[in-house]
Short mmCIF file of all heavy atoms in Angstrom, two decimals:
data_model
loop_
_atom_site.label_atom_id
_atom_site.label_comp_id
_atom_site.label_asym_id
_atom_site.label_seq_id
_atom_site.Cartn_x
_atom_site.Cartn_y
_atom_site.Cartn_z
N MET A 1477 47.18 134.14 122.03
CA MET A 1477 46.86 135.43 122.60
C MET A 1477 45.43 135.78 122.23
O MET A 1477 45.04 135.70 121.07
CB MET A 1477 47.85 136.47 122.07
CG MET A 1477 47.65 137.84 122.65
SD MET A 1477 48.76 139.11 122.01
CE MET A 1477 50.31 138.57 122.65
N THR A 1478 44.66 136.21 123.20
CA THR A 1478 43.28 136.60 122.93
C THR A 1478 43.20 138.05 122.50
O THR A 1478 44.14 138.83 122.70
CB THR A 1478 42.41 136.40 124.19
OG1 THR A 1478 42.83 137.32 125.18
CG2 THR A 1478 42.48 134.96 124.70
N ALA A 1479 42.07 138.41 121.93
CA ALA A 1479 41.88 139.79 121.48
C ALA A 1479 42.01 140.77 122.65
O ALA A 1479 42.46 141.89 122.46
CB ALA A 1479 40.53 139.94 120.80
N ALA A 1480 41.62 140.36 123.84
CA ALA A 1480 41.69 141.24 125.01
C ALA A 1480 43.13 141.56 125.38
O ALA A 1480 43.40 142.58 126.00
CB ALA A 1480 40.96 140.60 126.19
N ASN A 1481 44.07 140.69 125.01
CA ASN A 1481 45.47 140.89 125.37
C ASN A 1481 46.24 141.70 124.34
O ASN A 1481 47.38 142.06 124.57
CB ASN A 1481 46.17 139.54 125.56
CG ASN A 1481 45.60 138.78 126.73
OD1 ASN A 1481 45.05 139.37 127.65
ND2 ASN A 1481 45.71 137.48 126.71
N ARG A 1482 45.65 141.95 123.19
CA ARG A 1482 46.34 142.70 122.13
C ARG A 1482 46.06 144.19 122.27
O ARG A 1482 45.04 144.60 122.80
CB ARG A 1482 45.86 142.24 120.76
CG ARG A 1482 46.41 140.87 120.41
CD ARG A 1482 46.01 140.51 119.01
NE ARG A 1482 45.17 139.33 119.16
CZ ARG A 1482 44.25 138.94 118.32
NH1 ARG A 1482 44.01 139.62 117.25
NH2 ARG A 1482 43.56 137.85 118.53
N GLY A 1483 46.95 144.98 121.72
CA GLY A 1483 46.73 146.43 121.69
C GLY A 1483 45.74 146.78 120.60
O GLY A 1483 45.30 145.93 119.83
N PRO A 1484 45.39 148.05 120.52
CA PRO A 1484 44.43 148.48 119.50
C PRO A 1484 45.00 148.31 118.09
O PRO A 1484 46.20 148.42 117.87
CB PRO A 1484 44.21 149.96 119.82
CG PRO A 1484 45.35 150.36 120.67
CD PRO A 1484 45.86 149.14 121.36
N VAL A 1485 44.12 148.03 117.16
CA VAL A 1485 44.49 147.87 115.75
C VAL A 1485 44.34 149.18 115.00
O VAL A 1485 45.11 149.50 114.11
CB VAL A 1485 43.62 146.77 115.10
CG1 VAL A 1485 43.91 146.68 113.61
CG2 VAL A 1485 43.83 145.44 115.78
N TYR A 1486 43.33 149.97 115.39
CA TYR A 1486 43.05 151.23 114.71
C TYR A 1486 43.60 152.38 115.51
O TYR A 1486 43.63 152.31 116.72
CB TYR A 1486 41.54 151.40 114.52
CG TYR A 1486 40.97 150.41 113.55
CD1 TYR A 1486 40.47 149.20 113.99
CD2 TYR A 1486 40.96 150.67 112.19
CE1 TYR A 1486 39.96 148.28 113.10
CE2 TYR A 1486 40.44 149.77 111.30
CZ TYR A 1486 39.94 148.57 111.75
OH TYR A 1486 39.43 147.68 110.86
N PRO A 1487 44.03 153.43 114.88
CA PRO A 1487 43.99 153.69 113.45
C PRO A 1487 45.12 152.99 112.71
O PRO A 1487 46.19 152.74 113.27
CB PRO A 1487 44.16 155.21 113.36
CG PRO A 1487 44.91 155.58 114.59
CD PRO A 1487 44.50 154.59 115.65
N LEU A 1488 44.84 152.66 111.46
CA LEU A 1488 45.85 152.07 110.58
C LEU A 1488 46.77 153.17 110.07
O LEU A 1488 46.33 154.29 109.85
CB LEU A 1488 45.17 151.40 109.39
CG LEU A 1488 44.15 150.31 109.69
CD1 LEU A 1488 43.47 149.86 108.40
CD2 LEU A 1488 44.80 149.13 110.39
N PRO A 1489 48.04 152.84 109.86
CA PRO A 1489 48.92 153.86 109.28
C PRO A 1489 48.52 154.13 107.83
O PRO A 1489 48.17 153.21 107.09
CB PRO A 1489 50.31 153.23 109.36
CG PRO A 1489 50.07 151.77 109.48
CD PRO A 1489 48.73 151.60 110.13
N LEU A 1490 48.53 155.36 107.45
CA LEU A 1490 48.17 155.74 106.09
C LEU A 1490 49.40 156.31 105.42
O LEU A 1490 49.83 157.41 105.72
CB LEU A 1490 47.04 156.76 106.09
CG LEU A 1490 46.55 157.22 104.72
CD1 LEU A 1490 45.97 156.05 103.94
CD2 LEU A 1490 45.53 158.32 104.87
N LYS A 1491 49.97 155.54 104.52
CA LYS A 1491 51.19 155.96 103.83
C LYS A 1491 50.87 156.90 102.67
O LYS A 1491 51.55 157.87 102.45
CB LYS A 1491 51.96 154.75 103.33
CG LYS A 1491 52.26 153.73 104.40
CD LYS A 1491 53.53 154.06 105.12
CE LYS A 1491 53.93 152.94 106.04
NZ LYS A 1491 54.18 153.29 107.36
N GLU A 1492 49.86 156.56 101.89
CA GLU A 1492 49.50 157.35 100.72
C GLU A 1492 48.00 157.64 100.76
O GLU A 1492 47.20 156.78 100.43
CB GLU A 1492 49.84 156.59 99.44
CG GLU A 1492 51.33 156.29 99.28
CD GLU A 1492 51.63 155.50 98.02
OE1 GLU A 1492 50.92 155.68 97.02
OE2 GLU A 1492 52.56 154.71 98.06
N PRO A 1493 47.63 158.84 101.19
CA PRO A 1493 46.20 159.16 101.29
C PRO A 1493 45.45 158.94 99.98
O PRO A 1493 46.00 159.14 98.90
CB PRO A 1493 46.20 160.65 101.65
CG PRO A 1493 47.54 160.90 102.22
CD PRO A 1493 48.49 159.94 101.55
N HIS A 1494 44.23 158.50 100.09
CA HIS A 1494 43.30 158.32 98.97
C HIS A 1494 43.68 157.16 98.05
O HIS A 1494 43.18 157.08 96.94
CB HIS A 1494 43.16 159.61 98.15
CG HIS A 1494 42.91 160.81 99.00
ND1 HIS A 1494 41.76 160.98 99.73
CD2 HIS A 1494 43.67 161.89 99.25
CE1 HIS A 1494 41.83 162.12 100.39
NE2 HIS A 1494 42.98 162.69 100.13
N ASN A 1495 44.57 156.25 98.49
CA ASN A 1495 44.93 155.12 97.65
C ASN A 1495 44.40 153.79 98.16
O ASN A 1495 44.79 152.76 97.66
CB ASN A 1495 46.45 155.04 97.48
CG ASN A 1495 46.98 156.06 96.51
OD1 ASN A 1495 46.23 156.63 95.72
ND2 ASN A 1495 48.27 156.29 96.54
N ASP A 1496 43.54 153.80 99.15
CA ASP A 1496 42.97 152.55 99.66
C ASP A 1496 41.61 152.35 99.01
O ASP A 1496 40.66 153.06 99.32
CB ASP A 1496 42.84 152.60 101.18
CG ASP A 1496 42.46 151.26 101.77
OD1 ASP A 1496 41.97 150.39 101.03
OD2 ASP A 1496 42.64 151.10 102.99
N PRO A 1497 41.50 151.38 98.10
CA PRO A 1497 40.23 151.19 97.39
C PRO A 1497 39.09 150.72 98.28
O PRO A 1497 37.93 150.81 97.89
CB PRO A 1497 40.57 150.13 96.33
CG PRO A 1497 41.75 149.41 96.88
CD PRO A 1497 42.52 150.41 97.70
N ARG A 1498 39.39 150.28 99.49
CA ARG A 1498 38.33 149.84 100.40
C ARG A 1498 37.53 151.01 100.94
O ARG A 1498 36.37 150.86 101.31
CB ARG A 1498 38.93 149.05 101.58
CG ARG A 1498 39.67 147.80 101.15
CD ARG A 1498 40.39 147.19 102.32
NE ARG A 1498 41.44 148.10 102.79
CZ ARG A 1498 42.23 147.85 103.82
NH1 ARG A 1498 42.07 146.74 104.52
NH2 ARG A 1498 43.16 148.71 104.18
N PHE A 1499 38.17 152.19 101.01
CA PHE A 1499 37.49 153.37 101.55
C PHE A 1499 36.84 154.10 100.39
O PHE A 1499 37.46 154.85 99.65
CB PHE A 1499 38.48 154.29 102.28
CG PHE A 1499 37.79 155.33 103.10
CD1 PHE A 1499 37.45 155.06 104.41
CD2 PHE A 1499 37.45 156.56 102.57
CE1 PHE A 1499 36.79 156.01 105.19
CE2 PHE A 1499 36.78 157.51 103.33
CZ PHE A 1499 36.46 157.23 104.65
N ASP A 1500 35.55 153.85 100.24
CA ASP A 1500 34.81 154.46 99.13
C ASP A 1500 33.41 154.86 99.59
O ASP A 1500 33.06 154.69 100.76
CB ASP A 1500 34.76 153.52 97.92
CG ASP A 1500 34.04 152.21 98.22
OD1 ASP A 1500 33.45 152.05 99.31
OD2 ASP A 1500 34.07 151.32 97.34
N CYS A 1501 32.65 155.40 98.69
CA CYS A 1501 31.28 155.83 99.03
C CYS A 1501 30.44 154.67 99.52
O CYS A 1501 29.59 154.85 100.40
CB CYS A 1501 30.61 156.48 97.82
SG CYS A 1501 31.34 158.06 97.37
N GLY A 1502 30.67 153.48 98.99
CA GLY A 1502 29.92 152.30 99.41
C GLY A 1502 30.10 152.03 100.90
O GLY A 1502 29.14 151.69 101.59
N LEU A 1503 31.30 152.20 101.40
CA LEU A 1503 31.56 152.00 102.83
C LEU A 1503 30.76 153.00 103.65
O LEU A 1503 30.10 152.63 104.64
CB LEU A 1503 33.06 152.14 103.13
CG LEU A 1503 33.46 152.08 104.60
CD1 LEU A 1503 33.14 150.72 105.20
CD2 LEU A 1503 34.92 152.43 104.76
N VAL A 1504 30.79 154.25 103.25
CA VAL A 1504 30.07 155.30 103.98
C VAL A 1504 28.56 155.03 103.95
O VAL A 1504 27.89 155.12 104.97
CB VAL A 1504 30.41 156.69 103.41
CG1 VAL A 1504 29.61 157.77 104.14
CG2 VAL A 1504 31.91 156.96 103.52
N PHE A 1505 28.03 154.65 102.79
CA PHE A 1505 26.60 154.35 102.69
C PHE A 1505 26.23 153.13 103.54
O PHE A 1505 25.17 153.11 104.16
CB PHE A 1505 26.18 154.12 101.24
CG PHE A 1505 26.20 155.37 100.40
CD1 PHE A 1505 26.79 155.38 99.15
CD2 PHE A 1505 25.63 156.55 100.85
CE1 PHE A 1505 26.81 156.52 98.36
CE2 PHE A 1505 25.63 157.70 100.08
CZ PHE A 1505 26.23 157.69 98.83
N ASP A 1506 27.11 152.12 103.56
CA ASP A 1506 26.84 150.93 104.39
C ASP A 1506 26.76 151.30 105.86
O ASP A 1506 25.87 150.85 106.59
CB ASP A 1506 27.91 149.87 104.18
CG ASP A 1506 27.81 149.16 102.85
OD1 ASP A 1506 26.77 149.30 102.15
OD2 ASP A 1506 28.79 148.46 102.48
N VAL A 1507 27.70 152.13 106.32
CA VAL A 1507 27.68 152.55 107.73
C VAL A 1507 26.44 153.38 108.01
O VAL A 1507 25.80 153.23 109.05
CB VAL A 1507 28.98 153.31 108.09
CG1 VAL A 1507 28.88 153.92 109.48
CG2 VAL A 1507 30.18 152.39 107.99
N ALA A 1508 26.06 154.24 107.07
CA ALA A 1508 24.83 155.03 107.24
C ALA A 1508 23.61 154.12 107.39
O ALA A 1508 22.75 154.35 108.24
CB ALA A 1508 24.65 155.97 106.05
N ARG A 1509 23.55 153.05 106.59
CA ARG A 1509 22.42 152.11 106.69
C ARG A 1509 22.43 151.36 108.03
O ARG A 1509 21.38 151.09 108.60
CB ARG A 1509 22.44 151.13 105.52
CG ARG A 1509 21.94 151.75 104.22
CD ARG A 1509 21.68 150.72 103.15
NE ARG A 1509 22.93 150.11 102.67
CZ ARG A 1509 23.64 150.55 101.63
NH1 ARG A 1509 23.24 151.60 100.96
NH2 ARG A 1509 24.75 149.94 101.27
N VAL A 1510 23.61 151.03 108.52
CA VAL A 1510 23.71 150.37 109.82
C VAL A 1510 23.20 151.30 110.92
O VAL A 1510 22.46 150.87 111.81
CB VAL A 1510 25.15 149.90 110.11
CG1 VAL A 1510 25.32 149.47 111.56
CG2 VAL A 1510 25.55 148.77 109.16
N LEU A 1511 23.58 152.57 110.86
CA LEU A 1511 23.08 153.52 111.84
C LEU A 1511 21.55 153.59 111.80
O LEU A 1511 20.89 153.56 112.85
CB LEU A 1511 23.68 154.90 111.60
CG LEU A 1511 25.18 155.04 111.91
CD1 LEU A 1511 25.71 156.38 111.41
CD2 LEU A 1511 25.44 154.86 113.39
N GLU A 1512 20.99 153.67 110.61
CA GLU A 1512 19.53 153.70 110.46
C GLU A 1512 18.89 152.44 111.00
O GLU A 1512 17.84 152.49 111.64
CB GLU A 1512 19.14 153.88 108.99
CG GLU A 1512 19.44 155.26 108.45
CD GLU A 1512 19.08 155.37 106.99
OE1 GLU A 1512 17.98 154.90 106.61
OE2 GLU A 1512 19.89 155.93 106.23
N ALA A 1513 19.51 151.28 110.77
CA ALA A 1513 18.97 150.01 111.26
C ALA A 1513 18.95 149.95 112.79
O ALA A 1513 18.17 149.21 113.37
CB ALA A 1513 19.79 148.84 110.70
N HIS A 1514 19.78 150.77 113.41
CA HIS A 1514 19.82 150.85 114.87
C HIS A 1514 19.03 152.04 115.39
O HIS A 1514 19.25 152.52 116.50
CB HIS A 1514 21.27 150.89 115.36
CG HIS A 1514 21.96 149.58 115.25
ND1 HIS A 1514 21.97 148.65 116.27
CD2 HIS A 1514 22.63 149.01 114.22
CE1 HIS A 1514 22.63 147.58 115.88
NE2 HIS A 1514 23.05 147.78 114.64
N ASP A 1515 18.10 152.50 114.56
CA ASP A 1515 17.15 153.55 114.91
C ASP A 1515 17.75 154.94 115.09
O ASP A 1515 17.16 155.79 115.76
CB ASP A 1515 16.32 153.18 116.15
CG ASP A 1515 15.41 152.00 115.88
OD1 ASP A 1515 14.92 151.88 114.73
OD2 ASP A 1515 15.20 151.19 116.79
N TYR A 1516 18.90 155.19 114.48
CA TYR A 1516 19.41 156.56 114.41
C TYR A 1516 18.75 157.23 113.21
O TYR A 1516 18.34 156.56 112.26
CB TYR A 1516 20.93 156.58 114.25
CG TYR A 1516 21.64 156.23 115.54
CD1 TYR A 1516 22.03 154.92 115.81
CD2 TYR A 1516 21.91 157.20 116.49
CE1 TYR A 1516 22.66 154.60 117.00
CE2 TYR A 1516 22.55 156.89 117.69
CZ TYR A 1516 22.92 155.58 117.93
OH TYR A 1516 23.54 155.26 119.10
N PRO A 1517 18.63 158.56 113.24
CA PRO A 1517 17.99 159.23 112.11
C PRO A 1517 18.75 159.01 110.80
O PRO A 1517 19.98 158.90 110.80
CB PRO A 1517 18.05 160.71 112.50
CG PRO A 1517 18.27 160.74 113.97
CD PRO A 1517 19.02 159.48 114.30
N ALA A 1518 17.99 158.95 109.72
CA ALA A 1518 18.60 158.79 108.40
C ALA A 1518 19.40 160.05 108.07
O ALA A 1518 19.05 161.16 108.47
CB ALA A 1518 17.51 158.59 107.35
N LEU A 1519 20.50 159.85 107.36
CA LEU A 1519 21.28 160.99 106.91
C LEU A 1519 20.42 161.79 105.93
O LEU A 1519 19.82 161.22 105.02
CB LEU A 1519 22.57 160.53 106.24
CG LEU A 1519 23.70 160.18 107.23
CD1 LEU A 1519 23.38 158.96 108.04
CD2 LEU A 1519 25.00 160.02 106.50
N ALA A 1520 20.35 163.09 106.13
CA ALA A 1520 19.39 163.90 105.39
C ALA A 1520 20.02 164.76 104.31
O ALA A 1520 19.31 165.26 103.45
CB ALA A 1520 18.61 164.79 106.36
N ALA A 1521 21.32 164.95 104.34
CA ALA A 1521 21.93 165.87 103.38
C ALA A 1521 23.35 165.42 103.06
O ALA A 1521 23.93 164.59 103.77
CB ALA A 1521 21.95 167.28 103.97
N GLY A 1522 23.89 166.00 102.01
CA GLY A 1522 25.26 165.70 101.63
C GLY A 1522 26.25 166.01 102.74
O GLY A 1522 27.26 165.32 102.90
N HIS A 1523 25.93 167.05 103.52
CA HIS A 1523 26.81 167.41 104.64
C HIS A 1523 26.89 166.26 105.65
O HIS A 1523 27.96 166.02 106.22
CB HIS A 1523 26.31 168.69 105.31
CG HIS A 1523 27.18 169.15 106.43
ND1 HIS A 1523 28.40 169.73 106.22
CD2 HIS A 1523 27.01 169.09 107.78
CE1 HIS A 1523 28.95 170.01 107.39
NE2 HIS A 1523 28.12 169.64 108.35
N ASP A 1524 25.77 165.57 105.86
CA ASP A 1524 25.77 164.41 106.78
C ASP A 1524 26.74 163.34 106.27
O ASP A 1524 27.50 162.76 107.05
CB ASP A 1524 24.38 163.80 106.90
CG ASP A 1524 23.40 164.68 107.65
OD1 ASP A 1524 23.85 165.56 108.42
OD2 ASP A 1524 22.19 164.48 107.47
N LEU A 1525 26.69 163.07 104.97
CA LEU A 1525 27.59 162.06 104.40
C LEU A 1525 29.05 162.49 104.50
O LEU A 1525 29.93 161.68 104.79
CB LEU A 1525 27.23 161.78 102.94
CG LEU A 1525 25.97 160.96 102.72
CD1 LEU A 1525 25.61 160.94 101.24
CD2 LEU A 1525 26.15 159.55 103.24
N LEU A 1526 29.31 163.76 104.28
CA LEU A 1526 30.67 164.27 104.40
C LEU A 1526 31.18 164.12 105.82
O LEU A 1526 32.31 163.65 106.04
CB LEU A 1526 30.73 165.73 103.97
CG LEU A 1526 32.07 166.42 104.12
CD1 LEU A 1526 33.13 165.75 103.24
CD2 LEU A 1526 31.96 167.90 103.79
N GLU A 1527 30.36 164.49 106.80
CA GLU A 1527 30.77 164.37 108.20
C GLU A 1527 31.02 162.91 108.58
O GLU A 1527 31.98 162.60 109.28
CB GLU A 1527 29.70 164.98 109.11
CG GLU A 1527 29.62 166.49 109.03
CD GLU A 1527 30.81 167.18 109.67
OE1 GLU A 1527 31.34 166.68 110.68
OE2 GLU A 1527 31.21 168.23 109.16
N LEU A 1528 30.15 162.01 108.14
CA LEU A 1528 30.33 160.59 108.43
C LEU A 1528 31.60 160.07 107.78
O LEU A 1528 32.38 159.34 108.39
CB LEU A 1528 29.11 159.78 107.97
CG LEU A 1528 29.19 158.27 108.21
CD1 LEU A 1528 29.39 157.94 109.69
CD2 LEU A 1528 27.93 157.60 107.67
N SER A 1529 31.83 160.46 106.55
CA SER A 1529 33.03 160.04 105.83
C SER A 1529 34.29 160.51 106.55
O SER A 1529 35.24 159.74 106.73
CB SER A 1529 32.99 160.59 104.40
OG SER A 1529 34.16 160.23 103.70
N GLN A 1530 34.30 161.74 107.00
CA GLN A 1530 35.46 162.27 107.70
C GLN A 1530 35.67 161.57 109.04
O GLN A 1530 36.81 161.30 109.44
CB GLN A 1530 35.32 163.78 107.89
CG GLN A 1530 35.47 164.54 106.59
CD GLN A 1530 35.21 166.03 106.75
OE1 GLN A 1530 34.49 166.47 107.64
NE2 GLN A 1530 35.79 166.81 105.85
N ALA A 1531 34.59 161.28 109.73
CA ALA A 1531 34.70 160.58 111.01
C ALA A 1531 35.25 159.17 110.81
O ALA A 1531 36.13 158.73 111.56
CB ALA A 1531 33.34 160.52 111.71
#
Side-chain angles (χ1 to χ4, degrees):
M1477 183 182 292
T1478 67
N1481 295 335
R1482 287 185 243 155
V1485 175
Y1486 292 92
L1488 302 174
L1490 181 63
K1491 305 274 189 232
E1492 298 178 32
H1494 312 294
N1495 283 344
D1496 189 342
R1498 299 172 295 179
F1499 193 89
D1500 61 8
C1501 291
L1503 175 64
V1504 178
F1505 290 133
D1506 287 347
V1507 172
R1509 283 192 292 268
V1510 169
L1511 290 171
E1512 289 178 45
H1514 286 269
D1515 293 326
Y1516 285 94
L1519 279 67
H1523 182 74
D1524 290 339
L1525 286 171
L1526 176 62
E1527 289 289 325
L1528 180 57
S1529 179
Q1530 289 175 334

